[in-house]
Amino acid sequence: MRQVINFNPGPAVLPQSVLQQAAAAVLDLDGAGMSVLEISHRARAFEAIYEAAHEDLLQLMGLDAGTYSVLFLGGGASLQFFSVPRNLLPPDGVAAYVDTGVWSQKAVEQARRVGRAEVVGSSASEKYARLPEVSPIPAAAAYLHITTNNTIEGTQFHQTPETGAVPLVADMSSDFLATDRDFTRFALMYAGAQKNIGPAGVTIVVIRRSLLDACREDVPEMLSYRVHEKARSVYNTPPVFGVYVVGLVCRWIMEQGGVAGVAAANRRKAELVYGALDAHPDVYEPTVTVPAHRSLVNITFRLRDSFRESEFLDGARERHMVGLRGHRAVGGFRASMYNAFEEAWAERFADYLHAFARL
Ligand SMILES: *Cc1c(COP(=O)(O)O)cnc(C)c1O
């Protein structure tokens, strides 16, 4: 049994059964006489891992392999901040961005190294404590970029913005396969694996094949979606172990009833914790000002009495709860409760929130 209740924002908790399978495969991959760390990325064994992960991911997302492709890349979501505009933004074009926090700001900055990026909605003036209104998107925009879940600020898009004919691109790093969405609405989705679906080191890009055809020709190979897609993610050595663990997590999500199953569990966990915070408005202040914009997976809050912060953390530590300190940009506390965060832990945390409020 686990000794610690892990609220880490990423890398984050993984399912215990996945860790056990991964641990066994580190010693011997399915009786191959080799560790998963020792196989060639060009061997049949990796091809099988890649094919299963590719197929299972698309199935979980309700996407069809004829229409979408999945890439397993290195470099983190942060590299995608540059790769997306480098592939999709023509030299004389414009891209539209919704600015919802630290990560989307970084995405805008990188896009501006490539070309024109217009911010069509920003809640910067409200310290990102809510989602902004999105103004009309330029019809000629190469794409609209959103951050579906704002890991640091604790907001989340529960509705997908309408973009008409403009392709929708999303950084889904912190709610990938954690929230039930109509993924067919998106032309490109990317996510670092280390929040919901695997270890650090592998980044998933799901791209509509028609968008692949529209990518720029002049992209350096290592950044080119077309090059990676054509090479089936082995243009160079991919993060083999990461892809393997993502495949195991996909299987685990299927056992939980698919994305709908984990999303429902995430909703129950979030309701428990927000319920406890809202029950003591004199003690806790959720940092997100519009309840409909609250994230289900990163719950951010402060204490009304900031002098009690270390007391709160000490009490949490006594209960084996770790990783609760808020990001330095927001302060206060953040409870990150991704897919593998157990429901019983959310109950224990809600109990603690009530108990602390009554002290
Ligand atoms: C964590 C995170 C990132 C950065 O991911 P890296 O893999 O460290 O580059 C980007 N966007 C969002 C929304 C995140 O949560």
Side-chain angles (χ1 to χ4, degrees):
M1 272 317 286
R2 293 184 195 254
Q3 300 298 313
V4 159
I5 298 182
N6 182 354
F7 288 95
N8 282 337
V13 61
L14 285 166
Q16 185 78 24
S17 62
V18 166
L19 295 178
Q20 280 159 350
Q21 291 172 77
V26 164
L27 296 175
D28 182 56
L29 178 64
D30 302 330
M34 277 185 283
S35 164
V36 66
L37 305 180
E38 297 174 319
I39 61 169
S40 165
H41 60 293
R42 312 232 174 246
R44 178 64 207 140
F46 180 71
E47 210 175 297
I49 289 169
Y50 160 86
E51 272 168 12
H54 195 281
E55 189 180 319
D56 290 350
L57 259 173
L58 289 177
Q59 192 190 321
L60 282 169
M61 299 175 83
L63 299 175
D64 148 41
T67 315
Y68 284 86
S69 187
V70 184
L71 314 178
F72 300 95
L73 308 175
S78 299
L79 183 60
Q80 296 310 311
F81 295 160
F82 186 72
S83 296
V84 164
R86 190 64 187 77
N87 279 270
L88 303 182
L89 178 57
D92 55 351
V94 58
Y97 279 74
V98 183
D99 171 28
T100 49
V102 169
W103 292 121
S104 54
Q105 271 182 319
K106 285 183 192 262
V108 173
E109 275 165 29
Q110 293 303 302
R112 289 189 171 150
R113 291 191 181 272
V114 174
R116 257 184 75 205
E118 202 170 295
V119 172
V120 294
S122 173
S123 47
S125 64
E126 290 158 275
K127 293 190 173 153
Y128 302 116
R130 52 165 298 157
L131 296 173
E133 301 293 330
V134 178
S135 50
I137 307 155
Y143 58 86
L144 173 76
H145 180 284
I146 64 170
T147 312
T148 50
N149 182 75
N150 296 283
T151 326
I152 292 172
E153 296 80 3
T155 57
Q156 185 177 23
F157 281 93
H158 297 292
Q159 255 116 38
T160 304
E162 291 295 337
T163 60
V166 174
L168 180 58
V169 172
D171 176 358
M172 293 192 176
S173 290
S174 50
D175 69 359
F176 189 60
L177 307 192
T179 302
D180 220 357
R181 296 183 186 282
D182 179 358
F183 295 105
T184 64
R185 297 274 311 279
F186 297 83
L188 189 152
M189 298 155 264
Y190 63 92
Q194 70 271 23
K195 277 129 192 176
N196 277 296
I197 55 153
V202 58
T203 307
I204 286 147
V205 175
V206 183
I207 184 168
R208 200 181 278 154
R209 290 185 188 275
S210 58
L211 193 66
L212 216 44
D213 297 336
C215 282
R216 282 171 62 165
E217 296 283 353
D218 62 344
V219 185
E221 278 76 356
M222 276 302 289
L223 301 182
S224 166
Y225 295 136
R226 262 214 287 254
V227 166
H228 286 297
E229 205 280 329
K230 193 153 170 271
R232 295 159 60 82
S233 294
V234 289
Y235 172 73
N236 70 324
T237 318
V240 169
F241 183 65
V243 177
Y244 175 71
V245 179
V246 167
L248 296 179
V249 173
C250 285
R251 283 293 155 115
W252 176 84
I253 294 176
M254 286 176 180
E255 287 160 21
Q256 313 306 306
V259 176
V262 289
N266 289 339
R267 195 168 294 280
R268 289 194 296 272
K269 292 183 286 186
E271 274 166 11
L272 275 169
V273 173
Y274 283 118
L277 293 171
D278 290 340
H280 308 282
D282 47 332
V283 178
Y284 303 112
E285 180 193 16
T287 64
V288 176
T289 52
V290 179
H293 298 174
R294 287 171 167 182
S295 169
L296 300 183
V297 285
N298 301 108
I299 298 182
T300 50
F301 61 97
R302 297 192 192 92
L303 299 182
R304 301 264 175 207
D305 178 0
S306 62
F307 287 105
R308 293 188 73 195
E309 280 192 1
S310 57
E311 182 193 343
F312 183 83
L313 280 182
D314 289 345
R317 207 172 299 116
E318 273 168 31
R319 289 165 174 78
H320 310 290
M321 297 169 180
V322 303
L324 280 166
R325 203 183 282 281
H327 188 276
R328 59 193 179 279
V330 177
F333 300 98
R334 168 173 53 174
S336 299
M337 305 193 302
Y338 301 120
N339 283 346
F341 189 95
E342 296 176 17
E343 286 195 67
W345 296 353
E347 280 167 27
R348 301 252 296 274
F349 187 51
D351 289 347
Y352 175 49
L353 290 170
H354 287 301
F356 180 83
R358 293 190 191 108
L359 282 179

